[in-house]
Structures are given as C-alpha cells and as structure tokens.
Amino acid sequence: MADAVVKSDPTEALIASLAMPDATWAKPAREDALARVRTMGLPQRRDEYWKYTRPDTLTQIGAPKAAVLVMDEAPMFDEVDRLRIVFVDGVYDAEASDDLSLEGVTIERLAAASSDLHWATCVYGVLEARGQTPVARPLAAVNTAFATDGVLIHVTGKPNKPINLVYHHKSETSDAILHNCIKMDAGTEVTLLENGPAAARFNKVLEVEIADGAAFHHIRAQGRDHERRAATHIFSRLGAESEFHSFTMTVNGQLTRNDCVIELTGDDAIANVAGACVGDGDFHHDDTVFITHDAVNCRSRQVFKKVLRNGATGVFQGKILVKAGAQKTDGYQISQALLLDGDSQFLAKPELEIYADDVACSHGSTSGAIDEDALFYLRSRGVPEAEATNLLTLSFLAEAVEEISDEALREDMTVRLAAWLMRHRG
Amino acid sequence: MLSIKNLQVKLEDEDKQILKGVNLEVEAGKVHAIMGPNGSGKSTLSYVLSGKGGYEVTGGSAHLDDIDLLDLEPEERAAAGLFLAFQYPVEIPGVGNMTFLRTAVNAQRKARGEDEMSAAEFLKVVRAKAKDLKIDAEMLKRPVNVGFSGGEKKRNEILQMAMLEPKMCILDETDSGLDVDAMKLVADGVNALRSEGRGFLVITHYQRLLDHIKPDIVHIMADGRIVKTGGPELALEVENNGYADILAEVA
Ligand SMILES: Nc1ncnc2c1ncn2[C@@H]1O[C@H](COP(=O)(O)OP(=O)(O)OP(=O)(O)O)[C@@H](O)[C@H]1O
Ligand SMILES: [Mg+2]
C-alpha cells in the first residue's frame, strides 16, 4: 500500500502531523520551505553537522514531556523599560502583552498579518532559504513551512526602548514553532530581548535583514527549565557599515541546538555572536555558527563559553567562510569549556575556509578544569573553596558576557549566572 | 606565635622528601628571616604552612598560637591570621583586583563572625593603602596580577597583606624583582605593620631587604632543615661569604 510507505518515511510522517497555516502573503514561502524539507529530509545522526548532537527528539512527532519549572526569581529584564510581547506555549497572550505600537517600528504578529503586499515577503523564509547552502538546516525549513505565530518587525527608526519577546512554558507537552522576522531600514537601530522557554519543545527561527548603517542588538536567555528541548536558528544578512550583536545565555535545558547563520554582504560591517551556557547533569548544548564574509573590511567575532558538570555535554561548531574578494576580513572565534568534573565533555569543531589573501582570521578552542593555582591563591586569602570556584567560573564566563554592550543587561546576566552557580555548587 | 616542630614533608605524587624536620618558633612582635640556597625548601615550608595541595606531611606539627594549622583548609588558616606573600603571585584573568580584595577581606571577616566592610569604607581604606604603596587606581581595576610587572605583583602582595591585617606574615622573596625604590616602599609597608601582636617570617636571598626590615633572628635553611640560627650578623656573613662556610661548619 502506497499509504503505508509514505508514513514509514519520518519526514513525510512529520509533515503529515503538522498543519500549514493559510496566511496569504506567506503561502509561497511556506510552500517553498515545505519543498526544501522534502528534498533535504530531516536531520540525521550521519549528517556532518549532527555528529555530536542527536536530532531524534527534535524531529519526532510530538514533544517529549518536559516538567514546568516554578520560577523563584524575578523575571528577566524586569528593570528594563521595554515593550513586552508574550507567548505562552507558543500562543500569543494579548492580555499579558503590551500595546504593539512603538515609535520607529511597526510590529505585527505573523498569525495576524494578512495583507497581500506584505513587506515581510522579502524576509520570511528568504534568509532561511539562503542559509540552506552550503549546510542544510532542515529544522529551519520545517519552521518556515509550519510556524504558527511570531512577530514581524519593520524597523524604520530608532525606537526608544527594546522589544521583549517573553516566552512561558506552562504545559508539559507543548510543542511550539515560532518564526520572527525583522527588517531594518538603513540607519536604524533596535534591541530585541528574548527570554524564557517557549514550550516543552520549541523550534524558533529569527530572520534579520539589516540594511546599510543599521544596528541590531539581540540579548536572549533561554529559560531555566531542565527538560525542555530547543532548536533555534538565527539568519541574518548585513549591509554596508551595519552591525549585528547577539548574545545568548543558556542555563539548563536537556537539549539545545542554537544555529546562527550570518552573511556579511556590505563593506565595513560588524557581526558579533556570543554565548554563555551553564549545564549540570542531563544537559546537552550545541552552538553551531556559520559566518560568511562576502564584502571588504568586515569584522566578525564569535565568543562562546560553556561551564559543564555532572556529565553535561557542550558542542561548538563554528565556521568562518571568507569568500574571494572579501579582503581585509577580520575574523575571530573562540570557544572554551570549563569542565567542573571529569564526567563532562566538550566537543568542538572550529573551521576556517578562506579564499581571499589579505585577511586576519584566528580561532581557538580549549577545554579545561579550574586553575588550581588560582584557586589556591584565592583560598590562601581566605576565600572559601566554593566561593573561590564560583568567582573563577564567573570570570571564565565574563569574556562572553562582556560582549553585551549595555551595562545593566550585562550585570543582569552576570547575576543570573552567579545565582545558577550558587544553586549548583559542590 | 608560629610554632613549627620537626616538620617533615614529602611530595604527594613522588617519593621525594623535601622538608626533613624543620624546627622554628616565631614569637609575636618579632621578625625572623630565612635564608638558604636555592631548592633548600623555603617556599615549600611557606606553602605547607598555608595549605597548598601536592604535599604530604609525614611528621611533625605546625601551630599558630594554639591552632593546629595542618588540620585546617587554606581559607581557615587565612581566617586564623596566616598570610603568605607568594614568591610567584598568581595571575587571575577575569577577576578584578578590587573584587578580589573585597571578597577576601569580607570572607575573612565573615569567617571570624565580624560584619562585612561596606563598599564605601572598603574603597576608602584600599585607596589610602594603595597610595602608600604607589599602586595607582588603574592597577586596582585590572584583573588580579594580569599584565603587572614583577615589582607591581610584589607590591600588590603587600597591599593584600595591609588590607587583611594578618597576625602572622610570611614573605617569600618579596624583594626579588624589586627596584631600589620599590624595595623601600615594600619595606615601609611591612614596617608599618610591625607591631607587638604580629610576627613575620621573611624569606630572602639578600641582605638588602634586611637593611630595611631589620630582623631579630636569622635562620639558614639547607636541604630541608634549619641548619643554623643567629642574629642579624648571620645575614651579613651570607652576603659576604656565601653558604659554603656555614654548610661546611654544620656538616
Ligand atoms: N610540586 C613540586 N614538584 C616537584 N618538585 C618540587 C615541588 N615542590 C618543591 N619541589 C622541589 O623541592 C625542593 C625545594 O623547593 P623550594 O621551592 O621549596 O625551594 P626554595 O628553597 O624555595 O628555593 P628558591 O630559593 O629557589 O626559591 C626543590 O628541589 C624543588 O624542585
Ligand atoms: Mg622559593
């Protein structure tokens, strides 16, 4: 029976389990994405960029159960004057959200944006599609095809406060697919804050089109729920003299795969992507970054730090591709893990591929334990061992956290990381 | 104050005996100096007293007043009033010097059941003491010892000592790497702390430091033992003649 054959194919089975929303303007992009999914198939262990991370719980039909964490600390970014847009298990919460009007931006929800001549047509699924070569990212295409909601932000000026996407996880089996698009006009500037786990399992895509001279700032915290699973993608394309800054903090989470795909297409652009993650026990965190330099005199920085204990696993796959003609490229990449015991592991695959001759690229990857000499030095001054270990651990993470330019946000991240270390010591 | 009896120490991972029965009494209010050839065990003694790992005590004892030091964690020894100025101060990237100092001061206060120092009070005190040692504000902001010159690291050790006000201070070659002026600053810093209730054990190779910090007693250490003890004149003898005569005499 033909029917049975189709169902035994996991890709077709997953497709059959999902429903494509019928947003008029996004329909062609969704259909194209679906075709991409069919061509690529779902990620598998044998794929080059899935060697270190098992994709099965991300691709299976339905979310594996994830207990809901009862929060015992103040919400993130509480002190910041911001425009909040709240999603609960992937569903927009109008009551908890602020009014979506803000000077310098127009904000619409993906599920509510119905105009046929929508500006987002030139972003939605477009950057994702570009990011499928040379490395296939099927989960992102699944997202484009089936995303149920998200926000579409057109930045036309410099809004006076950040936009905050707040995600709550309330159901143990929620499975969310959210797609956010940002289109920045030339010379504009915006800050996007994201926090919380979007669901028991979530698949999120963020596409950011940055025109000449615009600056995008992104600070993300992925929540503290232990069992949640996440696959996220950021796709961004940068014009001349534009800037992209993204920082992600991950504490806990059974499985996290964060892909970041950046294309520097205009001269003198800057892209910085950083991450700090801390994991204890059943924790697998994978940062996969691909930065393409395709213009002159651009700078990119990747700074990733991981603190792992009790059998936690960290993965870093970072690539800098410098195309022919992308002269004066300055590419920097560092990925480091601090292993607080012998059970934890860090798997790193740093890559450089360079086709221009006048470039300065460097990459480094290390993993190691706490520096015993530094620990003794601190203890000899009276600092108790646990406190000294935490101080050294925070200082290890600091290099990534310092990528956040806003001092208050940097401090907030540091406080959260310190609190995690206090909860997970010894 | 510091009472070391027949202390024997070997390396933990190797069958190598380093201290072979050290006897030493430092009384409150006194300055004792230890001199001795390279590799004789001076730094090992200071490390073992402050609780560094990697060594195994195979015999003997070490007390600070009536506290058995060898029983305690390094941080407990510090809280009990022991301080070691390191021969090679450690660089700690990412931890600011100020944060380090404040954490240390408050950790010790807490361990002794005292109130923590307020941020404002701390700042005032640290600035004054740093000024005496010609440590500028910029150095206080930098990560601990990172990018400090040899002499700056040694001055930073003395600043820590001044902030922590320990009762027993061990200085391991604090003079090495110091220029003449810095030596004077460091000596002034030490002399300012000299008091009836405080003891010093100064490890050095050179008479010059002892010109500034006048010792009451000088010990010569060789091959893991104190082989000779005398007055300040013993340091002058070493300065003039080296160790050969002394070692021959005790052999
Ligand atoms: N952790 C260690 N591993 C191996 N050998 C060690 C260790 N610590 C000390 N030693 C050895 O013990 C001996 C004493 O060393 P120590 O550093 O105490 O000497 P010192 O008297 O301070 O010398 P210096 O005047 O050169 O500073 C040396 O032979 C040294 O190599
Ligand atoms: Mg020594």
Side-chain angles (χ1 to χ4, degrees):
Chain A
M1 272 184 345
D3 218 3
V5 174
V6 168
K7 277 198 183 122
S8 73
D9 173 32
T11 305
E12 287 305 328
L14 181 71
I15 290 170
S17 76
L18 297 166
M20 189 184 292
D22 51 6
T24 46
W25 62 271
K27 187 117 185 136
R30 289 181 184 274
E31 298 283 3
D32 286 354
L34 180 56
R36 283 196 290 281
V37 176
R38 291 207 151 103
T39 314
M40 294 184 279
L42 294 173
Q44 296 184 37
R45 206 63 202 281
R46 62 167 184 265
D47 296 344
E48 196 189 341
Y49 286 91
W50 287 93
K51 261 203 306 251
Y52 302 137
T53 298
R54 291 175 60 111
D56 50 349
T57 54
L58 296 172
T59 57
Q60 74 178 55
I61 295 171
K65 225 168 146 176
V68 175
L69 182 92
V70 180
M71 275 303 273
D72 53 4
E73 55 182 10
M76 290 291 304
F77 311 127
D78 224 16
E79 307 290 303
V80 182
D81 179 24
R82 65 221 200 270
L83 187 149
R84 277 169 314 160
I85 306 172
V86 182
F87 292 91
V88 178
D89 290 317
V91 178
Y92 177 63
D93 183 341
E95 202 127 295
S97 300
D98 293 327
D99 178 45
L100 298 188
S101 53
L102 177 66
E103 174 106 27
V105 289
T106 57
I107 306 172
E108 285 170 90
R109 281 177 41 236
L110 174 62
S114 59
S115 132
D116 273 336
L117 293 168
H118 204 279
W119 60 262
T121 318
C122 64
V123 181
Y124 190 89
V126 174
L127 299 185
E128 174 260 298
R130 288 178 69 92
Q132 297 292 353
T133 40
V135 181
R137 303 172 202 277
L139 292 171
V142 167
N143 182 300
T144 300
F146 298 106
T148 53
D149 209 348
V151 291
L152 308 170
I153 303 172
H154 185 187
V155 185
T156 53
K158 296 186 175 183
N160 64 3
K161 55 180 164 184
I163 296 163
N164 185 190
L165 302 177
V166 182
Y167 306 105
H168 293 297
H169 164 213
K170 293 251 166 89
S171 145
E172 285 194 342
T173 54
S174 56
D175 194 18
I177 305 182
L178 294 171
H179 196 117
N180 301 311
C181 285
I182 300 182
K183 178 172 153 55
M184 300 187 67
D185 290 351
T188 60
E189 183 162 14
V190 76
T191 298
L192 179 72
L193 307 174
E194 293 189 86
N195 64 287
R201 179 176 74 176
F202 54 93
N203 176 338
K204 280 198 324 194
V205 166
L206 169 64
E207 292 176 291
V208 192
E209 177 82 80
I210 308 175
D212 295 354
F216 176 67
H217 307 273
H218 180 223
I219 316 275
R220 168 168 75 164
Q222 299 187 294
R224 275 175 45 195
D225 290 38
H226 290 276
E227 294 171 346
R228 66 106 184 103
R229 291 159 200 277
T232 78
H233 289 81
I234 297 171
F235 296 96
S236 188
R237 180 164 58 176
L238 281 79
E241 291 173 36
S242 68
E243 291 186 31
F244 171 96
H245 301 271
S246 177
F247 173 86
T248 300
M249 177 178 78
T250 312
V251 301
N252 308 333
Q254 199 165 94
L255 178 61
T256 308
R257 164 72 174 240
N258 290 333
D259 279 47
C260 185
V261 185
I262 294 171
E263 248 188 302
L264 295 141
T265 61
D267 296 347
D268 308 305
I270 294 172
N272 292 346
V273 45
C277 83
V278 290
D280 184 349
D282 202 353
F283 173 90
H284 184 107
H285 183 97
D286 177 342
D287 287 299
T288 296
V289 181
F290 199 116
I291 298 186
T292 305
H293 282 260
D294 196 11
V296 175
N297 199 32
C298 292
R299 267 193 294 145
S300 71
R301 275 172 74 79
Q302 304 171 43
V303 181
F304 286 88
K305 299 271 190 164
K306 296 175 164 62
V307 172
L308 306 166
R309 74 183 316 156
N310 283 326
T313 300
V315 175
F316 176 78
Q317 309 184 101
K319 180 158 182 168
I320 306 173
L321 168 63
V322 181
K323 290 202 172 172
Q327 302 297 9
K328 309 266 182 233
T329 286
D330 180 354
Y332 174 77
Q333 179 196 90
I334 182 90
S335 65
Q336 296 182 305
L338 177 61
L339 309 177
L340 293 178
D341 52 47
D343 300 338
S344 304
Q345 60 169 347
F346 178 52
L347 305 159
K349 184 178 166 191
E351 292 176 281
L352 291 178
E353 196 177 328
I354 302 175
Y355 298 100
D357 50 21
D358 184 15
V359 302
C361 283
S362 63
H363 65 88
S365 184
T366 65
S367 82
I370 284 275
D371 178 348
E372 285 297 330
D373 287 334
L375 187 64
F376 174 64
Y377 192 59
L378 284 164
R379 294 179 72 190
S380 79
R381 296 312 184 235
V383 184
E385 187 177 10
E387 200 180 328
T389 302
N390 284 358
L391 197 60
L392 293 173
T393 306
L394 267 187
S395 78
F396 166 81
L397 292 166
E399 199 192 338
V401 178
E402 274 157 18
E403 294 290 306
I404 303 172
S405 56
D406 184 285
E407 196 183 330
L409 293 174
R410 201 166 56 227
E411 182 59 26
D412 196 359
M413 291 293 159
T414 304
V415 167
R416 310 270 165 177
L417 289 166
W420 186 92
L421 293 173
M422 288 298 286
R423 290 193 300 271
H424 292 261
R425 63 205 229 167
Chain B
M1 159 155 287
L2 178 66
S3 169
I4 303 168
K5 294 211 168 79
N6 194 26
L7 186 63
Q8 298 158 49
V9 171
K10 69 180 271 293
L11 291 179
E12 206 170 54
D13 301 331
E14 261 176 74
D15 212 13
K16 184 174 173 184
Q17 195 74 29
I18 300 177
L19 299 185
K20 301 172 178 171
V22 173
N23 288 292
L24 187 64
E25 295 280 339
V26 180
E27 308 81 6
K30 299 284 192 235
V31 175
H32 285 226
I34 298 188
M35 304 180 84
N38 294 134
S40 55
K42 304 180 298 295
S43 292
T44 302
L45 175 64
S46 69
Y47 282 148
V48 170
L49 291 175
S50 44
K52 190 175 192 213
Y55 302 100
E56 189 186 324
V57 175
T58 52
S61 67
H63 286 79
L64 181 60
D65 294 329
D66 51 2
I67 298 166
D68 182 353
L69 287 176
L70 303 179
D71 244 14
L72 302 180
E73 298 295 331
E75 54 269 33
E76 294 170 326
R77 300 179 197 204
L82 185 72
F83 180 89
L84 167 64
F86 283 52
Q87 181 174 0
Y88 304 107
V90 180
E91 298 187 3
I92 314 183
V95 177
N97 214 7
M98 275 296 216
T99 309
F100 168 67
L101 280 168
R102 201 175 54 235
T103 308
V105 167
N106 284 334
Q108 292 204 12
R109 288 184 160 227
K110 205 169 138 194
R112 294 194 216 104
E114 300 164 13
D115 283 344
E116 291 194 357
M117 219 186 220
S118 77
E121 189 190 352
F122 173 81
L123 208 63
K124 207 175 101 198
V125 177
V126 85
R127 281 205 180 124
K129 299 202 189 237
K131 192 160 166 250
D132 291 344
L133 288 159
K134 294 213 163 61
I135 291 174
D136 59 33
E138 194 263 337
M139 245 172 83
L140 289 174
K141 277 191 216 140
R142 289 215 306 249
V144 180
N145 293 328
V146 177
F148 287 28
S149 73
E152 287 170 345
K153 284 181 183 170
K154 296 304 177 77
R155 274 186 278 152
N156 200 29
E157 294 291 287
I158 301 305
L159 174 62
Q160 293 166 39
M161 187 170 83
M163 289 303 297
L164 293 169
E165 300 181 325
K167 59 181 175 191
M168 181 65 223
C169 309
I170 305 173
L171 280 66
D172 190 358
E173 292 195 31
T174 302
D175 51 339
S176 66
L178 292 180
D179 64 37
V180 184
D181 296 331
M183 173 103 65
K184 180 96 182 20
L185 282 177
V186 162
D188 289 347
V190 171
N191 287 330
L193 280 173
R194 286 181 75 160
S195 73
E196 265 180 34
R198 191 169 281 137
F200 286 88
L201 186 59
V202 180
I203 299 170
T204 183
H205 286 294
Y206 305 107
Q207 168 61 31
R208 189 182 289 155
L209 180 71
L210 302 179
D211 286 341
H212 297 294
I213 307 172
K214 299 242 166 8
D216 298 292
I217 308 282
V218 176
H219 307 272
I220 307 297
M221 188 164 193
D223 192 25
R225 287 187 189 91
I226 302 289
V227 295
K228 189 165 183 181
T229 296
E233 72 287 349
L234 194 50
L236 285 168
E237 192 186 326
V238 169
E239 179 90 353
N240 294 329
N241 307 329
Y243 293 109
D245 292 355
I246 296 169
L247 296 185
E249 177 191 319
V250 298

